Amino acid sequence: MRWALGVLAFALGLGAGLWGLEGGLAPKPLPLGGCRPGPLPERADLYANGVVEIPLCREAEVVLRLEGTPAKGEGPWAVVAEGDRVLWQGEVLGLKEVQVRTTGRGVLVLAFLNDLYAPPEDRNLFLRGLKVR
């Protein structure tokens, strides 16, 4: 009888320990890092998939003047995001102005997602200007 109580106590202790271990090792989302102000890009040329960081770090209206060159009938797909929030996304054919409102709680990025090089065509995205109001 005594050994049964010992085995029961051991099993309960082991179960509680494993339950606590599971909670302690469960993945948790990382908090977004703070934005560090820096120089704002005036222009950028994206010839391959990539991003341009715009470390504005404050509330503002931002106007991005974009230009895209198509390949295989599609223009570059661009995304403007702040931290984990998508502020705008779409295809850029020719010149396009994109206006977004930032909160200052993350780095603003312009991402180019669908590069294609199929000579003589080359899909690229260009940041031709940036205005902050």
Side-chain angles (χ1 to χ4, degrees), residues 39-44 65 127-130:
L40 301 180
E42 294 179 22
R43 299 174 64 89
R65 190 163 175 248
L127 174 64
R128 296 293 189 207
L130 180 72

Side-chain angles (χ1 to χ4, degrees), residues 100-123:
V100 296
R101 181 173 294 280
T102 63
T103 64
R105 287 184 282 226
V107 174
L108 187 66
V109 296
L110 167 64
F112 173 34
L113 304 176
N114 66 334
D115 181 39
L116 178 67
Y117 178 66
E121 298 179 312
D122 189 6
R123 187 181 302 142

Side-chain angles (χ1 to χ4, degrees), residues 23-60:
L25 295 179
K28 295 172 182 56
L30 294 173
L32 292 175
C35 184
R36 295 180 185 204
L40 301 180
E42 294 179 22
R43 299 174 64 89
D45 299 338
L46 293 167
Y47 296 106
N49 291 338
V51 300
V52 176
E53 290 187 4
I54 305 167
L56 185 59
C57 304
R58 64 181 174 91
E59 287 185 43

Side-chain angles (χ1 to χ4, degrees), residues 54-94:
I54 305 167
L56 185 59
C57 304
R58 64 181 174 91
E59 287 185 43
E61 277 188 17
V62 179
V63 179
L64 298 104
R65 190 163 175 248
L66 305 175
E67 183 178 0
T69 58
K72 300 286 184 189
E74 290 183 31
W77 189 261
V79 174
V80 178
E82 180 184 34
D84 60 353
R85 290 180 340 136
V86 173
L87 304 177
W88 179 86
Q89 61 183 336
E91 185 178 20
V92 180
L93 286 169

Side-chain angles (χ1 to χ4, degrees), residues 12-26:
L12 287 174
L14 182 62
L18 290 176
W19 178 77
L21 185 61
E22 179 183 351
L25 295 179

